[in-house]
Amino acid sequence: MPQYNPQQLPTTPGAGVSARLSDSAAQVYSQGTDQQARQLDVLGRGMQQVAKAGYDLHTDYQTGKAREAFNQLRAEEMDIKARLAAITGKEAIDPENGVQASIAKWQQDAHARLTKDLGGMARGLFDQAAELHLANLTAWGIEKHTGEERTYLNQQDEGTIALDAYAMLSDPLNTAAVKSGFENIKGRYRALRDRNGWSDEITQAKLTAQAEKVFSKMVDSQLDGDNLGAARELLGRYGEYMGGSRSALEARITAKGRELQARARAEQEMRFVSTFATDPLQGIAEISTPEGQAKYGLDAKAALGVRSMLQAQWSFNKQVEKERRDAYTTDAVNGIYATLTGDPSKNIPPDPAKAYQNLQNSNLDALTKLEMGRKLEDGTIGKTRDAAAVNDMARLIVSGEVDSDAPIDVMLAQGKASVGDVAMLKGMRKDMDGPLKDYLKRGDALVGNAFARPQFAAGTPEAAIKEDRARNQLQRAITEAYNKGGPEAVEKLFNSDLPMSIMSSNAVSVEDELNNLDRVLNVGRTDKRPIESADDYVSRRTKGAAQ
């Protein structure tokens, strides 16, 4: 009868199977599937030997128990391998809980647990099949550990290289610190070479690339901070390590020098302009001579540029002053008118006396104060109008020459526009900033053409009133059409007969011509004798021609 000598698995890491496979782990592991097949075959051959030897039913039972334990071993082995495969980095190489330690602990526990109820024969069969199978797992663990250890150490070296590079960039003008950091980087690349099997050529290429990157960044950082002198010093000191980047850095240093010079000149010019910002004309006078230019460190070309900036500043000052004056005029006129009329909704009664006093205390121009004072005295402010002046203001608004409400408010103060005229003109100015702008321009051109024909009454009050009325009617029609149907409706309006109908209904008549003729004929007369009327004059001339 064959004798079975059970073989115990090693119970501590690094002993037994692990020690025997330390130099050939990869070879054992590479046997893979073929070895598993041989394990099952070993178990089968053992069973055949038992049968040939005439073992009884008890022997078959022991063989089945061995097979059951071996299958359980294989299932647990696949589970632990899947779990350990997911472990990476420092965790994978941990001496207590890493891959190899976990495999050793599991092997010890599994062997004790699965062979606890096996007899001598079953245990011998199990050990024969399990030994080589577990050797594969041990070899896989060794390779996994080795690979993760290599990756982990590589990452640590790369991190050290990055930290040393950062230290060099943080204090680039410290020669000792830069030298120390660079030596550390060289050492880390040598360690990477030895660990990963790099050739000397590959190692040197990687070191050269890293050096070019770090030393070039040193110069770039100084240029970004406008530290031109430091950039030049670093280029001269470490240029040999910058490789192909050196020529580009030299060009950038040259360009940065020009940039800083131009910026310094611009700052000098701006300081001069700021000094004379409130009196640009005085600044222009200061640099009008070579002596003045030399005094402020300006050459002729720079002085010309400064002169242009001072002229622009002068224009800006005038615009700011105009806006301030316009705002004051609007507030003053509206305030005086509000005091004059009161506010019934707030139980504020009219106060003409206070309105007149506010006018006198205001800083409005002399003409506006005089005309507004007269209107306040005779109680006609806001009630009189000059149609021709309203027409002129409307044309200025449409042409974009009115940039505030102040000129319109002055017309109210001077009696040239009624309250309604002011509201209409301000509304027109507001519309010129919106979608009606182009349509209002077209309407104004239509009105202007209609009332620009040679006629004896042109420019008379009658003509001005009719032109004003025609403009108002057309403007209202345009606004209503746009509000109801948008641009399409306005286009239909211009293509209809309505605009010409408005012009025709407000055209200067023969009666207007005759009334104007009466005024012309009576100009300068001091006698009280009646003169021939225009109707009589026309009738007499017509009869004489007929006779």
Side-chain angles (χ1 to χ4, degrees):
M1 179 179 295
Q3 297 297 317
Y4 296 94
N5 299 315
Q7 299 182 25
Q8 298 293 331
L9 292 174
T11 59
T12 59
V17 176
S18 296
R20 293 197 305 274
L21 295 176
S22 59
D23 295 331
S24 58
Q27 179 181 357
V28 173
Y29 177 69
S30 67
Q31 295 174 2
T33 305
D34 292 340
Q35 292 176 340
Q36 294 183 9
R38 286 197 298 274
Q39 293 158 14
L40 295 176
D41 186 53
V42 168
L43 185 58
R45 287 199 304 272
M47 293 170 62
Q48 291 174 1
Q49 292 173 357
V50 171
K52 292 178 181 179
Y55 274 84
D56 55 11
L57 184 61
H58 173 74
T59 303
D60 293 337
Y61 173 77
Q62 291 297 318
T63 303
K65 291 287 287 183
R67 182 182 293 276
E68 179 183 6
F70 181 69
N71 287 339
Q72 180 64 29
L73 179 75
R74 292 182 62 201
E76 293 183 14
E77 182 265 345
M78 286 188 288
D79 288 340
I80 191 172
K81 187 174 182 180
R83 178 174 65 81
L84 295 177
I87 299 177
T88 59
K90 187 176 181 180
E91 184 180 356
I93 61 176
D94 185 79
E96 295 183 2
N97 299 304
V99 173
Q100 284 187 292
S102 297
I103 289 175
K105 291 176 182 178
W106 173 77
Q107 286 180 343
Q108 181 179 358
D109 173 73
H111 185 271
R113 178 166 35 82
L114 295 176
T115 60
K116 180 177 60 176
D117 298 328
L118 296 181
M121 180 184 298
R123 183 164 181 164
L125 291 171
F126 173 82
D127 286 344
Q128 289 180 16
E131 181 178 13
L132 186 57
H133 189 79
L134 293 179
N136 285 332
L137 178 62
T138 301
W140 175 85
I142 294 172
E143 184 166 329
K144 169 75 172 175
H145 177 94
T146 303
E148 292 296 337
E149 184 179 46
R150 182 187 303 111
T151 300
Y152 173 76
L153 294 176
N154 285 348
Q155 290 173 345
Q156 296 306 306
D157 283 337
E158 290 167 358
T160 301
I161 290 171
L163 289 174
D164 285 326
Y166 180 79
M168 293 167 65
L169 292 171
S170 299
D171 194 7
L173 298 176
N174 187 333
T175 306
V178 171
K179 181 179 180 181
S180 174
F182 194 39
E183 289 300 322
N184 289 341
I185 290 175
K186 291 179 180 178
R188 290 306 89 207
Y189 273 108
R190 286 193 294 269
L192 287 167
R193 176 198 61 191
D194 297 340
R195 186 181 306 115
N196 295 281
W198 294 348
S199 66
D200 290 341
E201 292 77 12
I202 291 178
T203 305
Q204 184 60 43
K206 291 180 178 292
L207 176 61
T208 300
Q210 180 68 22
E212 180 177 348
K213 178 181 177 181
V214 174
F215 287 111
S216 298
K217 182 63 176 177
M218 282 184 185
V219 177
D220 275 328
S221 298
Q222 297 303 314
L223 291 176
D224 291 340
D226 293 339
N227 195 346
L228 187 62
R232 286 173 173 160
E233 180 180 347
L234 291 173
L235 182 69
R237 188 183 300 172
Y238 303 115
E240 61 181 300
Y241 299 110
M242 297 178 188
S245 301
R246 178 167 184 167
S247 57
L249 290 171
E250 290 173 343
R252 191 181 174 202
I253 287 175
T254 302
K256 176 61 72 170
R258 296 195 196 99
E259 176 190 336
L260 293 179
Q261 290 177 354
R263 192 187 305 170
R265 287 195 300 269
E267 290 174 354
Q268 181 184 19
E269 293 168 5
M270 288 305 301
R271 284 195 297 270
F272 182 87
V273 172
S274 298
T275 302
F276 294 95
T278 56
D279 191 359
L281 297 182
Q282 177 62 31
I284 292 175
E286 287 283 337
I287 58 172
S288 296
T289 63
E291 293 77 14
Q293 295 169 10
K295 175 182 177 181
Y296 293 100
L298 301 174
D299 56 27
K301 182 178 180 180
L304 184 62
V306 170
R307 180 186 179 90
S308 298
M309 287 190 284
L310 288 171
Q311 289 172 336
Q313 183 67 41
W314 181 83
S315 299
F316 174 77
N317 292 351
K318 299 295 290 184
Q319 179 63 27
V320 170
E321 175 60 23
K322 178 182 180 302
E323 292 174 358
R324 186 196 65 79
R325 184 69 186 176
D326 286 352
Y328 174 80
T329 299
T330 294
D331 292 342
V333 171
N334 290 337
I336 293 169
Y337 186 76
T339 302
L340 173 68
T341 58
D343 189 348
S345 65
K346 298 180 180 179
N347 295 322
I348 300 177
D351 193 343
K354 185 177 180 181
Y356 188 84
Q357 186 61 42
N358 290 345
L359 172 64
Q360 298 308 313
N361 295 334
S362 71
N363 290 324
L364 294 172
D365 64 88
L367 178 60
T368 299
K369 291 178 71 171
L370 177 63
E371 294 297 333
M372 194 172 191
R374 289 175 179 174
K375 300 302 178 183
L376 285 172
E377 290 173 355
D378 58 24
T380 60
I381 187 170
K383 301 176 182 178
T384 59
R385 66 192 304 270
D386 181 344
V390 173
N391 286 332
D392 291 341
M393 180 57 67
R395 283 191 286 269
L396 291 174
I397 291 173
V398 171
S399 64
E401 298 180 46
V402 180
D403 56 4
S404 73
D405 289 339
I408 302 173
D409 292 318
V410 169
M411 292 181 66
L412 174 71
Q414 296 180 354
K416 295 181 180 180
S418 66
V419 175
D421 292 329
V422 170
M424 181 274 295
L425 292 171
K426 288 184 177 180
M428 178 183 292
R429 200 179 80 81
K430 182 178 179 181
D431 289 338
M432 286 301 294
D433 292 330
L436 293 176
K437 177 179 179 179
D438 293 335
Y439 301 123
L440 293 179
K441 284 186 175 182
R442 289 171 63 181
D444 182 74
L446 188 61
V447 173
N449 290 334
F451 287 88
R453 294 171 298 176
Q455 48 192 355
F456 191 65
T460 62
E462 291 84 0
I465 291 172
K466 292 189 174 183
E467 179 181 350
D468 175 48
R469 186 165 58 217
R471 178 176 281 103
N472 285 337
Q473 291 175 356
L474 184 57
Q475 181 180 345
R476 282 199 305 272
I478 292 172
T479 302
E480 291 177 4
Y482 186 86
N483 291 337
K484 291 179 180 179
E488 184 178 354
V490 180
E491 291 296 337
K492 289 182 178 179
L493 168 67
F494 277 106
N495 292 329
S496 69
D497 295 333
L498 181 59
M500 294 308 302
S501 176
I502 292 174
M503 300 302 107
S504 299
S505 64
N506 291 288
V508 177
S509 64
V510 175
E511 183 178 357
D512 296 327
E513 300 276 4
L514 294 176
N515 289 336
N516 185 51
L517 180 61
D518 284 341
R519 283 193 296 272
V520 173
L521 294 175
N522 281 286
V523 171
R525 286 188 60 88
T526 58
D527 61 309
K528 303 299 182 179
R529 292 179 300 168
I531 63 172
E532 185 178 33
S533 67
D535 289 340
D536 293 341
Y537 174 80
V538 173
S539 176
R540 179 172 58 80
R541 292 295 302 270
T542 303
K543 290 179 180 180
Q547 292 176 355

